[in-house]
Amino acid sequence: MSQQYESILAVLKKHQQEHILAGYANLEPQQQEKLLGELAQLDFESLDDLISQYVRQRPMTDIPTDLAPAPYYPLTTRSDDWPDSAEQPDYYHRLGSDAVRQGKLAAFTVAGGQGTRLGWNGPKGTYPATVVTGKPLFQCFAEQILAAQEKYDVHIPWYIMTSPLNDATTQAFFIDNNYFGLSRNDVFMFPQGILPSFDAATGRLLLAEADTLAVNPNGHGGSIQALRESGAVEDMIARGIEHISYFQIDNPLVNVIDPLFLGLHLAAPDSSAEMSSKMVPKTDPEEKVGVFCQSAGKTMVIEYSDLPDQYMHQRDEQEKLLFLAGSIAIHLISVSFVEKLTADSKHFALPYHRADKKVPHVDPQTGDRIEPKEPNGVKLEAFVFDAIPLAESSIVMETSRESEFAPIKNAQGTDSPATSHQLQSDRAGTWLESVGISIPRDSDGHVDALLEISPLTALHAEDLDALDDLPSAIKVGEELAI
Ligand code: UTP
């Protein structure tokens, strides 16, 4: 056996992971080299810490005793409810528009997830998401960026975080689609970090293939470090970018360039302009979304599974949920905040969260493939919202679900393509109604037609005013893509 094999085996033995080489002798030389190469990259000291902290036990989240709901800026239709110290929405809108026009804002999509719930064969961004023409998610955002570039007469660079597991296919998809009309120089893709997946019962490493470790991307929280390590931050600074519009790959309705949100982030009296968030009111106490809270003056998201029952159901005098502000993973993050957090890049880490998942794997000894029926593995992921309390002072702004939230997470049921299509049609219907077009709706108020408005046609409802060839009414079940 080679010297490399012997030295890696010694390390594995020290950390009780030598099982992973049990079938080494049966592998082809190239496979042996590949497996040793992957093992050589692991830092077993830190893996031991992770295993004892997160795999051998289920870490509990400490809930601060002074936990309170985070304040938020309500929808502009209720701007009378804004704090007295704040300016009016128009002021922030103008400020944000100016910053976009001056080229200070970049778009940033986190697209490194595995999308296992949707079960689509390929990166989630390639999923055909729109109602009539089936445009892929990546195209939904590309068109928004194209339209905003035109509107503000500026280049808006787009940073996309992939993972080592989907980077090549994502790159190929953009090349095949000619970057959807964007300049290739304005699209910057980089892979995030990965972590091994662990056997839940033993904390042992798993093999995805006879010569390949089972790994998973290290969570959307990995984006903070990846922005720095990939050179994206340097690229942003060179371009004069100061703020990053962060959003997930799964929400085709997200308002990528939102001047009001940017203005508030930049200048609200209680914002340190480091990291800001959007929220939607929870539909019911048990909705599975994280909730914006505050403790000791810091804003934070508490996961739904960690929010104690008494808080989850607590209501005010008007019977409104007290812990109402649901997180929809839309943030503004300043480049200087990412620099500050990652100044000592090697030692910066957000906490990990444990997810118990089915991890198909290969038995190292026998080479048998195992397809678990129940969760057998632990994946560790960092969450980007854990960076919020690291900001000096962080604001939350309300947005409406109808206008900005139509996630595609599951193949069926809630947050599926079907629910997203309905929400996309609903929003398009509302926009068309605002310019006097009659739209059919069912008894629940949902649009009863298939409607799609490209961002290239209208970024906002007002943009439809300029169109003169729209029909005066849409019939039940009719398809319209403009
Ligand atoms: P999800 O929590 O929906 O996870 O990610 P997922 O991996 O995409 O899907 P499932 O759970 O396997 O079904 C929310 C967002 O964060 C990104 C995803 O791409 C999505 O935009 N993400 C998630 C990353 O970029 N990296 C990760 O490691 C995890």
Side-chain angles (χ1 to χ4, degrees):
M1 294 288 179
S2 71
Q3 210 178 347
Q4 190 193 17
Y5 169 85
E6 295 298 347
S7 69
I8 288 180
L9 184 63
V11 175
L12 290 172
K13 281 188 173 153
K14 183 167 165 220
H15 297 276
Q16 290 93 48
Q17 296 285 4
E18 69 271 24
H19 68 284
I20 207 81
L21 289 179
Y24 182 82
N26 306 327
L27 300 179
E28 300 295 329
Q30 281 149 320
Q31 293 179 302
Q32 292 181 333
E33 198 182 327
K34 178 162 185 287
L35 185 55
L36 290 185
E38 289 186 8
L39 289 166
Q41 283 180 21
L42 298 181
D43 170 359
F44 283 93
E45 300 293 337
S46 13
L47 286 186
D48 278 352
D49 287 347
L50 291 181
I51 294 165
S52 72
Q53 207 181 333
Y54 295 102
V55 185
R56 293 203 199 288
Q57 55 177 327
R58 280 171 196 278
M60 301 290 287
T61 309
D62 284 334
I63 300 296
T65 48
D66 64 341
L67 197 74
Y72 57 85
Y73 288 84
L75 290 180
T76 49
T77 45
R78 285 184 280 122
S79 59
D80 287 351
D81 295 345
W82 283 26
D84 292 340
S85 56
E87 302 272 353
Q88 284 305 291
D90 286 351
Y91 166 79
Y92 294 112
H93 195 284
R94 231 181 0 261
L95 216 67
S97 303
D98 289 347
V100 178
R101 206 168 288 113
Q102 289 158 9
K104 293 185 178 170
L105 186 67
F108 176 36
T109 312
V110 286
Q114 294 179 293
T116 39
R117 284 171 289 170
L118 182 62
W120 171 246
N121 185 16
K124 204 190 254 190
T126 66
Y127 185 79
T130 63
V131 180
V132 179
T133 65
K135 279 178 200 161
L137 284 157
F138 279 129
Q139 189 171 356
C140 298
F141 312 129
E143 290 188 354
Q144 276 204 52
I145 294 168
L146 279 168
Q149 293 194 139
E150 174 92 18
K151 175 170 176 171
Y152 295 96
D153 190 21
V154 71
H155 280 266
I156 300 176
W158 185 14
Y159 298 83
I160 300 171
M161 183 174 82
T162 61
S163 87
L165 311 177
N166 70 13
D167 186 65
T169 33
T170 305
Q171 304 245 18
F173 190 69
F174 272 75
I175 292 169
D176 288 349
N177 287 283
N178 204 14
Y179 285 73
F180 304 102
L182 289 161
S183 159
R184 206 179 164 132
N185 292 335
D186 289 338
V187 181
F188 186 120
M189 286 186 207
F190 58 93
Q192 66 178 112
I194 50 169
L195 274 175
S197 313
F198 302 97
D199 179 63
T202 60
R204 285 172 158 193
L205 300 175
L206 295 165
L207 285 179
E209 302 293 340
D211 60 355
T212 311
L213 288 173
V215 294
N216 58 270
N218 62 1
H220 41 68
S223 60
I224 303 286
Q225 204 143 14
L227 279 166
R228 178 70 168 231
E229 287 176 357
S230 64
V233 163
E234 257 178 12
D235 186 75
M236 288 173 182
I237 292 168
R239 290 171 187 260
I241 298 295
E242 293 178 9
H243 299 275
I244 306 167
S245 167
Y246 169 106
F247 56 96
Q248 301 194 155
I249 191 64
D250 50 29
N251 179 12
L253 288 189
V254 64
N255 185 3
V256 174
I257 306 297
D258 184 344
L260 173 66
F261 184 35
L262 181 57
L264 272 174
H265 165 77
L266 290 173
D270 48 349
S271 171
S272 60
E274 293 176 300
M275 183 159 179
S276 304
S277 315
K278 281 192 185 170
M279 75 80 151
V280 295
K282 283 170 64 168
T283 46
D284 75 273
E286 293 181 15
E287 188 184 354
K288 293 182 171 167
V289 287
V291 174
F292 287 103
C293 299
Q294 244 186 11
S295 158
K298 296 286 188 185
T299 305
M300 59 188 62
V301 172
I302 304 286
E303 274 195 278
Y304 67 88
S305 48
D306 292 331
L307 190 68
D309 251 25
Q310 83 260 27
Y311 293 131
M312 196 181 281
H313 294 273
Q314 209 174 352
R315 292 182 186 268
D316 65 13
E317 307 84 61
Q318 279 91 43
E319 282 303 297
K320 200 162 127 186
L321 279 181
L322 214 55
F323 289 83
L324 180 71
S327 172
I328 48 172
I330 301 176
H331 304 284
L332 283 164
I333 303 173
S334 77
V335 176
S336 56
F337 185 52
V338 177
E339 282 191 289
K340 178 175 110 178
L341 293 180
T342 56
D344 181 4
S345 180
K346 289 266 169 301
H347 295 106
F348 167 74
L350 293 173
Y352 284 108
H353 298 251
R354 166 186 175 140
D356 289 76
K357 301 260 175 152
K358 287 185 234 169
V359 181
H361 58 106
V362 166
D363 184 316
Q365 184 93 49
T366 61
D368 291 345
R369 185 168 291 281
I370 299 158
E371 291 289 342
K373 300 258 179 311
E374 298 299 326
N376 63 312
V378 170
K379 295 184 180 182
L380 299 183
E381 295 189 351
F383 293 168
V384 76
F385 59 65
D386 282 325
I388 297 174
L390 305 177
E392 284 298 311
S393 178
S394 177
I395 57 130
V396 178
M397 179 183 116
E398 180 180 1
T399 184
S400 73
R401 249 171 231 272
E402 299 72 40
S403 64
E404 208 176 344
F405 192 51
I408 298 177
K409 297 257 185 217
N410 303 306
Q412 260 130 26
T414 44
D415 297 343
S416 63
T419 57
S420 177
H421 281 186
Q422 184 62 59
L423 290 161
Q424 292 178 56
S425 281
D426 286 350
R427 187 180 81 170
T430 305
W431 285 17
L432 291 164
E433 281 165 343
S434 76
V435 293
I437 298 169
S438 163
I439 300 292
R441 288 187 181 265
D442 64 19
S443 52
D444 294 328
H446 290 298
V447 166
D448 202 354
L450 302 174
L451 307 179
E452 177 175 331
I453 301 175
S454 160
L456 296 173
T457 305
L459 264 177
H460 304 285
E462 308 83 79
D463 301 332
L464 292 174
D465 277 333
L467 302 183
D468 47 19
D469 53 352
L470 294 173
S472 58
I474 303 289
K475 293 193 222 37
V476 170
E478 192 178 331
E479 278 190 4
L480 174 81
I482 54 171

